[in-house]
Amino acid sequence: MTLTVDIQRQLGHFCLKAAFDAPEGVTVLFGRSGSGKTSIIRSIAGLLNPDRGRIHLGDRVLFDSDARTNVPVHKRRLGYVFQDSRLFPHLSVRDNLCYASRVSGRGSRRPEEVAGLLGIEHLLARRTHGLSGGEAQRIAIGRALLAEPDMLLMDEPLASLDGPRKAEILPYLETLRGETGVSILYVTHNMAEVARLATHIVLIEDGTVVQSGPPERVLTDPDMVRVVGIRDAGAVLSARVVAQPDDGVSELAVSGGRLFLPAVDAPVGSELRVRILAQDVILSRTRPEGLSALNILPVRVLAVRRGEGPGVIVQMQAGDDLLLARITRRSADAMGVAEGATCFAVMKSVAVSQTDIAVGLQTGI
Amino acid sequence: MTLTVDIQRQLGHFCLKAAFDAPEGVTVLFGRSGSGKTSIIRSIAGLLNPDRGRIHLGDRVLFDSDARTNVPVHKRRLGYVFQDSRLFPHLSVRDNLCYASRVSGRGSRRPEEVAGLLGIEHLLARRTHGLSGGEAQRIAIGRALLAEPDMLLMDEPLASLDGPRKAEILPYLETLRGETGVSILYVTHNMAEVARLATHIVLIEDGTVVQSGPPERVLTDPDMVRVVGIRDAGAVLSARVVAQPDDGVSELAVSGGRLFLPAVDAPVGSELRVRILAQDVILSRTRPEGLSALNILPVRVLAVRRGEGPGVIVQMQAGDDLLLARITRRSADAMGVAEGATCFAVMKSVAVSQTDIAVGLQTGI
Amino acid sequence: MMLGLGPEEWQAVLLSLKVSFWATLVSLPFGVICAMALARGQFIGRDVLNWLVHLPLVLPPVVTGYLLLLSFGRRGPVGGFLYDTFGVTFAFQWTGAALAAAIMAFPLMVRAMRLAIEAVDPKLEEAAATLGASRLRVFTSVTLPLILPGIIAGAVLAFAKAMGEFGATITFVSNIPGETRTVPSAIYAFLQVPGGEDAALRLVVVAVFIAVAALILSEWLSRRVARRIAGK
Amino acid sequence: MMLGLGPEEWQAVLLSLKVSFWATLVSLPFGVICAMALARGQFIGRDVLNWLVHLPLVLPPVVTGYLLLLSFGRRGPVGGFLYDTFGVTFAFQWTGAALAAAIMAFPLMVRAMRLAIEAVDPKLEEAAATLGASRLRVFTSVTLPLILPGIIAGAVLAFAKAMGEFGATITFVSNIPGETRTVPSAIYAFLQVPGGEDAALRLVVVAVFIAVAALILSEWLSRRVARRIAGK
Amino acid sequence: AAASLGDALTDLAEAWQAETGHSVTLVLAGSSTLARQIEAGAPADIYLSANVDWMDWLAARGRLNEVSRIDVASNTLVLVAHDGAAASEVLLSPKTDIAALLGTDGRLAVALPEAVPAGLYARAGLETLGLWDDVSDRLAPTDNVRAALALVALGEAPLGVVYATDALAEPRVHVVATFPEGSHPAIAYPAALVAESAEPDVASDFLQWLLSAAAQSSLRKHGFGPPTAEPK
Ligand SMILES: Nc1ncnc2c1ncn2[C@@H]1O[C@H](COP(=O)(O)OP(=O)(O)OP(=O)(O)O)[C@@H](O)[C@H]1O
Ligand SMILES: Nc1ncnc2c1ncn2[C@@H]1O[C@H](COP(=O)(O)OP(=O)(O)OP(=O)(O)O)[C@@H](O)[C@H]1O
Ligand SMILES: [Mg+2]
Ligand SMILES: [Mg+2]
């Protein structure tokens, strides 16, 4: 089910004016603190009324200022995991989980099952006082899941979780999507979560959508570096394993050449995604000598963006793929990196980001 | 000022029994959700009374059950940044920031200065309603900083911040420590923050301290992988830049050999720290051929830990340093990796983690 | 018998308990509805409702009683209507005493509940709505449990006030032994006759005892409930 | 003059305003302290304090007035002491009327404030303490502003109740024109004589008008303050 | 019946019940309250008032069986003092310096002189004696005569004007003077059958019985005088 959003709303001095589609899969809303992500999600959930606009989910109209449609919150069938967990203090953990099925009959899953997946079985009989931040948030996620919504709205749901727990829950969210076809609209600051989960990205800045599309495209737009943050900017490329020789170094084909990665745990022929951060790419006008086995791709410079600070962002074409590099202004000038120039991109580090086969193989989150 | 903690407290079924020192610098409390981090910090702040034990800060006794000392919260001179921001709703943002100096005369810094550093100047005149999660948390940080405490207690202060903002605030925290000598006790789930900030690590599990010490040692203890999480486990090594040849590949000396990293932005002779994740290290009994330029270090296996799941964790000695590798059980068996075996560690990826000179050079957070 | 209460005095005590109990119980739902409307409602007449509710607090009880007599008396418009259509009569019956007590206690009840409702975090109600709870379900499953301490406080306050109510009651339904002579009326009667002070004092002690018991019970209940709804 | 109030009636109205105003104002700090003690305190005698505060609610006003007379009268232990040491006397003075009104209104005031205090998030008080605020500063800089709506509600409730207080006042300080004849006492006097209803009605209208004005003012104030403390 | 007759009537009711087996239910409240309630349809058989005006008021509204109207008893007005020694017997005459007896700031306790019967009688008596102007601004008017008595009993007021019956039963006051006959209208207690009485025959018997020697002697014990023959 595709979610279509086109809304406007004035909040104090802040003007929200967002239009985007969230197709099936996991759409990540990404933007800096205060950019309006929560306000958008609240509008979709019906907790904030847009001044005007439309919100459709599949063929259901949730809101339409022209047609004066405004489906009440409880009929929208959306699961909302709040930034703060908002557990009901007067109910036990189990009753919190069962809340949706109690009030609306929604949801046929047993709470134990979901609790098991979230590692909160031992809390079921407890009351909510004294729960740790992470425990509370896991219960909140479980509660929303058990409502079996058409779409899950998640507002930084994992921010208070520790790494191992995050890593455990993420695959469950993926499975959930695969199993039930429920789409997810996901707000996060965490680029690793984006790379891991996103099938679609919406970049928000100052209340407006500045870019949206598949991660491969959005993340390699040099204008987006400012929004994404320099440390998180980088490309996501599709790759195929072409050889797994005995020396433990796997050979991957990308559209622009070959990459060599030690011990990629996937059979020859599998498709996967690799993530190359802009800060891990350096440029050279000549093919570096004596470094034959380092990952080097010939590229053509598409754009050079100077930001504040000493660095520049270079967008390059490598085969059919786009790459980003962040180099110092000084070396950019010295090397004569400019639009149209051809050079070589040297990758300090390449991370396997997501495969279609084995979900267990991702980089650390 | 060193903080010494040795406390016990029963919380429902949960038993907190923690003893550790937090020396000057940034001590990171690291542990899974529900392990008792917040409870420890609350005890230090005086918000939770231990059943028995002692808490000293420098030569000040904050709590001592034997001597019946229990310094009241407001006299402890500790700044506390809560997991939830806890802004005062009846005060403007500016008045929130100035709260400490208003009630206690503590703090001589101007709020504008701190607000500038945290990017919240434009919010100063506002009231707290409608602030985004990140805005609120930045104000909470500013409020605690402006109290000019002897030690800052920070409970996942950056969890709700976006990457760029985090990256902006972190150096400020470092500067702050450098400038004022204020020590920080920092709770986080985020391994990148740990690697970036920690001068000392305390690992908590189920309410007890399982390990504490400098990051180099704590993070390479194979028993700790369970606590740290497999994706975040890894070594931090001290390195020195020994050559910066023209081809753009810097040569770094570590105690166990040489590492080659493209374009490390530091002059020859500088000391820095590199971070090598366990999952980025593979092992080979023979020196891999045809891969001369890859980073390969000869190592001796110190310990092999089998966990649940298909992987094993191998702790190795490389010169004076310790390394961790995570390999599959199958290959460990096939290769005969066992205590005392010598082999070669192949690094898929090495990240410069922290230098003594340039704080701007760290890996993405 | 304890305190040496005579049968007539016991009668007054039991009657007071009955009157106060029913006054509280019957006005409870109205109190909750009023409090909700005042705390959350956005409607014209909200202010009018508000001061109507508070009227019995402001008026001297005698006036309230007199107004009740005028309207609910057997010849009053409301009383006549109720009598003709339902055969219900308040005048000079214990039900009338309960009505008077309920009306006098109503502002206290509503105030207490209203404050409790205003203290409920709307974020929790939002969360409930997103989980599929209709407005009514949100109210019954989240708001109501969370304001329980306020409701208890309101009810006990109303009960205590009903126990002490005198002016409106005696004016409305007089002071008929066994029917409308509640403890305060009985105290009044004793104070009116020479030498009745001792009997009055005995009744005062009983009244205080009952009220204190109710308060202690409610404190305990309230604290238990408050603990529960704090998730402990 | 509007409503055709005679000078004596105006005198009663002004006196009632004065009495209620001072009764409310002077009892305000005590109310806050009591409410704090009851809401947060952990001390022996807490329950005793609680029911002492509630006593005037439960007792028939006449009894309260009589007890006041016994203790605060010129020959009562408290009254005598106050008179001997400070020369303060309550008997037959408007101050006595204010005392009676304050005591009758006190339970209402404390209840309202206590509920407000119990609704304050202790997390904010914790945060204030970590920022260096002593207990007292925490109270004045965080708790107090946050309970302002509750204080206003309590004060207005008390004011309204004081405006309507009759039984205890007349028993304690009798009904002296210009000194202790408040509006309710005046109304009572009118109702005692056949044909006095019209004059009583005029005063009732005035009383209602004043109370409604106070309520509306307080609603408005309360809402403003509530908005502010919600951070809006 | 008027509340001030309560004690005596209780004895009479018991006596009559012993004699005839018919039980009597006494409803005690202020004369005005009862009159209004009977007007509103209260289920009463006999109205016994302390006040001729309210009797006339009801009669004018046709609520009474006029023929049955009788005076049951009479009373006298006395001046009482708290301190027997200080205010030894005085003779009430136009020359009496009541102000001096009151001391510098003492007050004269009376029932509301413009409303309550005892107050009306007291005012008339004082006016006749030419003392009214001396004391009119030194009064402590109360809502009923018992409250005035209590003020004197507690020593809050040094002097008071009350019924002889009240003074008789209160050991803490001393009768210092009796108002001369004729200084005020005769204090009569009229009684009549209520027009809508459910059991007019029994009620009428009781009314007649009240004039019997046995009943009258019982009333005498309580300090009441014989019904004045004076036509009303
Ligand atoms: N009621 C309001 N009045 C005034 N400003 C508001 C209001 N609600 C939201 N804002 C402003 O709108 C902006 C967007 O807020 P929002 O909570 O949607 O941000 P966000 O993207 O979710 O941020 P974060 O990642 O920090 O949670 C913020 O600058 C906030 O201050
Ligand atoms: N008052 C209490 N009663 C019962 N259990 C409690 C109480 N307070 C804390 N706990 C339990 O103690 C454990 C530690 O809680 P704490 O909040 O310190 O964890 P944490 O390490 O901060 O977790 P997180 O990273 O999720 O915030 C949790 O399992 C929690 O449920
Ligand atoms: Mg947000
Ligand atoms: Mg915590």
Side-chain angles (χ1 to χ4, degrees):
Chain A
M1 249 180 281
T2 302
L3 175 77
T4 312
V5 175
D6 182 357
I7 50 173
Q8 254 178 274
R9 167 79 201 234
Q10 192 68 37
L11 289 162
H13 293 297
F14 180 81
C15 177
L16 184 72
K17 199 170 173 176
F20 64 90
D21 280 3
E24 290 199 17
V26 178
T27 301
V28 167
L29 275 185
F30 192 89
R32 302 196 43 172
S33 173
S35 59
K37 306 179 294 296
T38 300
S39 307
I40 292 175
I41 291 229
R42 284 177 62 82
S43 305
I44 298 169
L47 298 173
L48 183 73
N49 280 331
D51 295 332
R52 62 183 144 282
R54 274 163 305 107
I55 302 171
H56 293 226
L57 179 61
D59 43 14
R60 285 202 291 143
V61 181
L62 299 182
F63 180 86
D64 192 328
S65 58
D66 294 336
R68 299 190 168 277
T69 309
N70 191 357
V71 176
V73 183
H74 68 281
K75 295 213 176 121
R76 295 201 175 192
R77 298 188 62 92
L78 297 167
Y80 193 150
V81 180
F82 294 86
Q83 224 166 342
D84 44 343
S85 51
R86 304 199 186 176
L87 299 184
F88 301 122
H90 59 295
L91 299 180
S92 70
V93 169
R94 178 191 300 278
D95 289 343
N96 265 282
L97 288 173
C98 300
Y99 184 84
S101 76
R102 213 183 85 212
V103 295
S104 69
R106 276 202 226 167
S108 52
R109 257 203 189 67
R110 280 175 16 94
E112 282 76 14
E113 186 190 330
V114 172
L117 282 156
L118 296 165
I120 48 176
E121 312 94 313
H122 62 291
L123 301 173
L124 280 177
R126 252 186 68 176
R127 305 202 51 86
T128 57
H129 180 82
L131 286 173
S132 80
E135 290 165 345
Q137 196 62 4
R138 276 179 277 157
I139 296 164
I141 294 175
R143 187 177 64 172
L145 288 177
L146 281 163
E148 292 185 356
D150 289 345
M151 184 167 213
L152 262 181
L153 309 175
M154 310 188 87
D155 197 348
E156 303 186 43
L158 305 185
S160 56
L161 294 184
D162 58 292
R165 187 64 67 194
K166 254 185 207 177
E168 271 170 52
I169 293 180
L170 276 173
Y172 179 58
L173 292 181
E174 285 168 340
T175 322
L176 180 91
R177 160 166 72 90
E179 253 181 39
T180 62
V182 66
S183 294
I184 300 178
L185 185 61
Y186 194 98
V187 170
T188 184
H189 287 134
N190 186 315
M191 212 42 211
E193 282 173 35
V194 176
R196 167 80 180 262
L197 284 174
T199 57
H200 196 82
I201 295 187
V202 178
L203 284 177
I204 313 284
E205 204 177 9
D206 281 339
T208 46
V209 174
V210 285
Q211 176 73 276
S212 76
E216 294 81 355
R217 193 160 56 74
V218 173
L219 296 178
T220 50
D221 183 338
D223 288 333
M224 293 306 103
V225 171
R226 187 172 29 94
V227 183
V228 171
I230 278 197
R231 286 167 212 290
D232 284 327
V236 176
L237 311 187
S238 301
R240 195 164 41 82
V241 180
V242 291
Q244 287 284 34
D246 283 346
D247 63 6
V249 177
S250 316
E251 189 178 343
L252 276 64
V254 293
S255 65
R258 296 284 147 119
L259 296 176
F260 297 89
L261 289 180
V264 170
D265 199 0
V268 171
S270 30
E271 301 279 345
L272 35 78
R273 273 156 78 179
V274 295
R275 179 162 174 234
I276 301 170
L277 292 178
Q279 63 178 2
D280 286 344
V281 177
I282 52 173
L283 294 184
S284 166
R285 286 307 293 260
T286 54
R287 176 174 280 272
E289 297 297 322
L291 280 172
S292 55
L294 266 180
N295 292 310
I296 297 171
L297 294 178
V299 295
R300 199 162 51 79
V301 173
L302 294 179
V304 178
R305 286 284 184 292
R306 302 176 175 248
E308 321 114 46
V312 298
I313 293 292
V314 185
Q315 185 191 37
M316 302 155 293
Q317 179 111 31
D320 300 335
D321 291 314
L322 297 177
L323 274 183
L324 284 188
R326 178 195 173 214
I327 60 177
T328 63
R329 187 176 297 224
R330 182 165 51 84
S331 35
D333 293 342
M335 285 161 59
V337 173
E339 215 180 300
T342 54
C343 35
F344 295 89
V346 181
M347 266 73 67
K348 288 195 270 188
S349 152
V350 175
V352 172
S353 155
Q354 197 183 33
T355 72
D356 295 332
I357 329 131
V359 262
L361 232 204
Q362 286 83 19
T363 43
I365 294 249
Chain B
M1 249 180 285
T2 301
L3 177 77
T4 313
V5 176
D6 181 358
I7 50 172
Q8 253 178 274
R9 167 78 201 234
Q10 191 68 38
L11 289 162
H13 293 297
F14 181 81
C15 176
L16 185 72
K17 199 169 173 179
F20 64 90
D21 280 4
E24 289 198 18
V26 178
T27 301
V28 167
L29 275 184
F30 191 88
R32 301 196 44 173
S33 170
S35 60
K37 306 179 295 296
T38 299
S39 306
I40 291 174
I41 292 230
R42 285 176 63 81
S43 304
I44 298 168
L47 298 173
L48 183 74
N49 280 332
D51 295 331
R52 64 184 143 281
R54 274 163 304 105
I55 302 171
H56 294 226
L57 180 60
D59 44 13
R60 285 203 292 142
V61 181
L62 299 183
F63 180 87
D64 192 328
S65 57
D66 294 336
R68 297 191 170 276
T69 310
N70 191 356
V71 176
V73 183
H74 68 282
K75 294 212 176 120
R76 296 200 174 193
R77 297 189 62 91
L78 297 167
Y80 193 150
V81 180
F82 294 86
Q83 222 165 344
D84 44 342
S85 51
R86 304 199 186 176
L87 299 185
F88 301 123
H90 59 296
L91 299 180
S92 70
V93 170
R94 178 190 301 277
D95 289 344
N96 264 282
L97 288 173
C98 299
Y99 184 83
S101 76
R102 214 183 82 211
V103 294
S104 68
R106 274 202 226 169
S108 52
R109 255 205 190 69
R110 279 174 18 91
E112 282 76 13
E113 187 190 329
V114 172
L117 282 155
L118 295 165
I120 47 177
E121 312 94 313
H122 62 290
L123 301 173
L124 279 177
R126 251 187 70 177
R127 305 199 52 83
T128 59
H129 181 83
L131 286 175
S132 79
E135 289 165 344
Q137 196 61 4
R138 276 179 277 158
I139 296 163
I141 294 174
R143 187 176 64 172
L145 288 177
L146 282 163
E148 291 183 359
D150 289 345
M151 182 167 212
L152 262 181
L153 309 175
M154 310 189 85
D155 197 349
E156 302 185 42
L158 305 185
S160 56
L161 294 184
D162 57 292
R165 187 64 67 193
K166 254 184 207 176
E168 270 170 53
I169 293 181
L170 276 173
Y172 179 58
L173 292 181
E174 285 168 341
T175 324
L176 179 91
R177 160 165 72 91
E179 255 180 38
T180 63
V182 66
S183 295
I184 299 178
L185 185 61
Y186 193 97
V187 170
T188 183
H189 287 134
N190 186 317
M191 212 43 210
E193 282 173 36
V194 176
R196 168 80 179 262
L197 285 175
T199 56
H200 196 82
I201 294 186
V202 178
L203 284 178
I204 312 284
E205 204 178 7
D206 281 340
T208 46
V209 174
V210 285
Q211 175 74 274
S212 76
E216 294 81 355
R217 193 160 57 73
V218 172
L219 296 179
T220 50
D221 183 337
D223 288 333
M224 292 305 102
V225 172
R226 186 172 29 96
V227 184
V228 172
I230 279 196
R231 288 168 210 288
D232 284 326
V236 177
L237 312 187
S238 301
R240 194 166 42 80
V241 180
V242 291
Q244 288 282 34
D246 283 347
D247 62 5
V249 177
S250 316
E251 190 179 342
L252 276 63
V254 293
S255 65
R258 297 284 147 117
L259 295 177
F260 297 89
L261 291 180
V264 171
D265 198 1
V268 170
S270 32
E271 303 280 342
L272 35 78
R273 272 156 78 180
V274 295
R275 180 161 173 232
I276 302 170
L277 291 177
Q279 64 179 0
D280 285 344
V281 177
I282 53 173
L283 293 184
S284 166
R285 288 306 293 260
T286 56
R287 176 175 281 274
E289 299 297 322
L291 282 171
S292 55
L294 265 181
N295 292 311
I296 297 173
L297 295 178
V299 295
R300 198 163 53 79
V301 174
L302 294 179
V304 179
R305 285 283 183 293
R306 301 177 176 249
E308 320 115 46
V312 297
I313 294 291
V314 184
Q315 185 191 36
M316 302 154 294
Q317 178 112 34
D320 301 335
D321 290 315
L322 297 176
L323 274 183
L324 284 187
R326 180 197 173 211
I327 61 177
T328 63
R329 187 178 294 223
R330 183 164 52 85
S331 35
D333 292 343
M335 284 161 60
V337 172
E339 215 178 301
T342 54
C343 35
F344 295 89
V346 182
M347 267 74 65
K348 288 195 269 188
S349 148
V350 175
V352 173
S353 154
Q354 196 182 33
T355 73
D356 295 333
I357 331 132
V359 263
L361 232 201
Q362 286 80 22
T363 44
I365 294 247
Chain C
M1 193 51 251
M2 181 188 83
L3 291 164
L5 288 191
E8 284 197 13
E9 291 158 33
W10 271 112
Q11 197 181 38
V13 170
L14 292 181
L15 180 69
S16 257
L17 284 174
K18 178 164 97 172
V19 164
S20 304
F21 176 77
W22 285 106
T24 309
L25 195 74
V26 172
S27 57
L28 209 51
F30 298 99
V32 173
I33 292 169
C34 256
M36 267 308 273
L38 290 176
R40 294 282 167 82
Q42 294 292 346
F43 55 95
I44 310 161
R46 198 170 154 283
D47 282 334
V48 176
L49 176 66
N50 191 24
W51 62 257
L52 262 181
V53 165
H54 279 85
L55 220 47
L57 195 73
V58 198
L59 291 180
V62 182
V63 173
T64 309
Y66 186 52
L67 293 176
L68 280 175
L69 189 63
L70 286 182
S71 46
F72 283 88
R74 224 171 282 179
R75 293 164 197 256
V78 189
F81 169 78
L82 287 178
Y83 184 69
D84 293 343
T85 26
F86 304 108
V88 177
T89 161
F90 288 109
F92 313 108
Q93 314 253 321
W94 73 267
T95 47
L99 177 67
I103 286 195
M104 292 300 288
F106 202 62
L108 307 188
M109 181 184 264
V110 170
R111 265 284 167 179
M113 291 180 183
R114 182 176 165 184
L115 282 172
I117 291 170
E118 282 167 353
V120 169
D121 189 349
K123 287 180 174 180
L124 293 177
E125 296 173 326
E126 280 186 353
T130 67
L131 290 164
S134 64
R135 278 234 191 177
L136 187 67
R137 285 310 301 244
V138 170
F139 177 72
T140 56
S141 67
V142 176
T143 320
L144 201 59
L146 289 176
I147 61 172
L148 250 192
I151 292 186
I152 294 175
V156 170
L157 213 58
F159 180 84
K161 171 73 197 170
M163 285 293 296
E165 185 3 67
F166 162 65
T169 308
I170 200 170
T171 312
F172 178 29
V173 290
S174 190
N175 186 356
I176 306 167
E179 192 66 48
T180 62
R181 177 175 293 185
T182 55
V183 171
S185 303
I187 293 175
Y188 168 80
F190 281 124
L191 285 179
Q192 287 308 304
V193 295
E197 284 87 354
D198 289 351
L201 185 69
R202 281 203 302 275
L203 278 179
V204 166
V205 171
V206 174
V208 168
F209 177 81
I210 291 173
V212 166
L215 284 176
I216 288 179
L217 184 77
S218 87
E219 279 294 311
W220 177 81
L221 245 172
S222 231
R223 235 176 289 171
R224 255 185 75 113
V225 174
R227 276 176 58 85
R228 268 193 81 78
I229 66 170
K232 286 182 196 171
Chain D
M1 191 53 250
M2 178 190 84
L3 291 163
L5 288 191
E8 286 197 10
E9 291 159 28
W10 270 113
Q11 199 181 37
V13 169
L14 292 180
L15 180 70
S16 257
L17 283 174
K18 177 164 96 172
V19 163
S20 304
F21 175 78
W22 284 106
T24 308
L25 195 73
V26 172
S27 57
L28 209 52
F30 298 99
V32 174
I33 291 170
C34 256
M36 267 309 271
L38 290 176
R40 293 282 168 84
Q42 293 293 343
F43 56 92
I44 309 162
R46 199 171 154 282
D47 281 335
V48 176
L49 175 68
N50 191 24
W51 63 257
L52 263 181
V53 165
H54 278 86
L55 220 47
L57 195 74
V58 199
L59 291 178
V62 182
V63 174
T64 309
Y66 191 69
L67 293 176
L68 279 176
L69 200 55
L70 282 181
S71 47
F72 283 90
R74 222 170 292 178
R75 298 175 186 243
V78 190
F81 169 80
L82 288 177
Y83 183 69
D84 294 344
T85 27
F86 304 107
V88 175
T89 160
F90 288 110
F92 309 123
Q93 312 258 321
W94 72 268
T95 47
L99 177 68
I103 287 199
M104 292 299 288
F106 202 60
L108 307 188
M109 182 184 263
V110 171
R111 266 285 166 179
M113 291 179 183
R114 182 175 165 186
L115 282 172
I117 291 170
E118 282 168 352
V120 169
D121 190 350
K123 288 180 174 179
L124 293 177
E125 297 173 324
E126 280 185 354
T130 66
L131 289 165
S134 65
R135 277 232 192 179
L136 186 68
R137 286 309 303 246
V138 170
F139 177 73
T140 56
S141 67
V142 176
T143 319
L144 201 59
L146 288 178
I147 61 171
L148 251 191
I151 292 187
I152 295 175
V156 170
L157 214 58
F159 181 82
K161 170 74 197 171
M163 286 293 296
E165 186 0 71
F166 162 65
T169 308
I170 199 168
T171 310
F172 179 31
V173 290
S174 91
N175 186 346
I176 304 164
E179 193 66 46
T180 61
R181 174 171 295 184
T182 56
V183 171
S185 303
I187 292 175
Y188 176 81
F190 282 125
L191 282 181
Q192 289 309 304
V193 287
E197 286 88 354
D198 287 352
L201 185 70
R202 280 204 302 278
L203 278 179
V204 165
V205 170
V206 174
V208 168
F209 177 80
I210 291 172
V212 166
L215 283 176
I216 288 177
L217 184 77
S218 87
E219 279 293 312
W220 177 82
L221 246 173
S222 230
R223 235 176 290 171
R224 255 184 77 112
V225 174
R227 275 176 59 87
R228 267 193 82 78
I229 66 168
K232 286 181 198 173
Chain E
S4 51
L5 284 167
D7 224 17
L9 281 178
T10 310
D11 289 355
L12 289 175
E14 276 166 12
W16 195 57
Q17 189 165 355
E19 240 180 84
T20 67
H22 289 290
S23 72
V24 180
T25 305
L26 289 175
V27 177
L28 301 176
S31 302
S32 61
T33 306
L34 290 171
R36 287 212 182 82
Q37 287 169 346
I38 289 170
E39 153 73 6
D45 295 315
I46 297 173
Y47 176 55
L48 209 171
S49 173
N51 182 326
V52 179
D53 290 347
W54 281 110
M55 195 56 118
D56 294 343
W57 182 82
L58 265 186
R61 280 166 175 69
R63 293 267 171 258
L64 296 179
N65 181 345
E66 294 254 25
V67 189
S68 66
R69 181 164 164 177
I70 51 170
D71 279 350
V72 172
S74 67
N75 212 338
T76 45
L77 211 55
V78 295
L79 182 69
V80 292
H82 174 73
D83 195 340
S88 55
E89 303 271 318
V90 292
L91 202 66
L92 275 178
S93 75
K95 281 176 242 87
T96 315
D97 187 1
I98 293 199
L101 291 173
L102 286 172
T104 48
D105 59 352
R107 284 183 177 270
L108 178 67
V110 291
L112 274 174
E114 66 271 44
V116 178
L120 293 168
Y121 293 130
R123 177 175 182 167
L126 290 168
E127 274 175 348
T128 312
L129 294 170
L131 298 172
W132 175 250
D133 293 336
D134 294 348
V135 297
S136 62
D137 57 350
R138 301 290 301 276
L139 296 178
T142 61
D143 59 333
N144 62 63
V145 67
R146 299 288 306 171
L149 184 68
L151 284 179
V152 180
L154 292 173
E156 291 301 322
L159 294 175
V161 180
V162 299
Y163 290 129
T165 47
D166 295 317
L168 192 68
E170 175 56 79
R172 289 172 294 178
V173 302
H174 306 266
V175 176
V176 294
T178 302
F179 277 75
E181 211 169 311
S183 64
H184 54 82
I187 304 171
Y189 291 86
L193 288 183
V194 174
E196 290 164 353
S197 168
E199 294 180 88
D201 297 341
V202 182
S204 154
D205 286 350
F206 181 66
L207 213 52
Q208 287 309 314
W209 178 81
L210 286 178
L211 296 176
S212 72
Q216 286 295 322
S217 88
S218 171
L219 280 170
R220 220 53 34 86
K221 266 192 293 180
H222 287 278
F224 290 98
T228 42
E230 205 177 312
K232 179 51 241 174

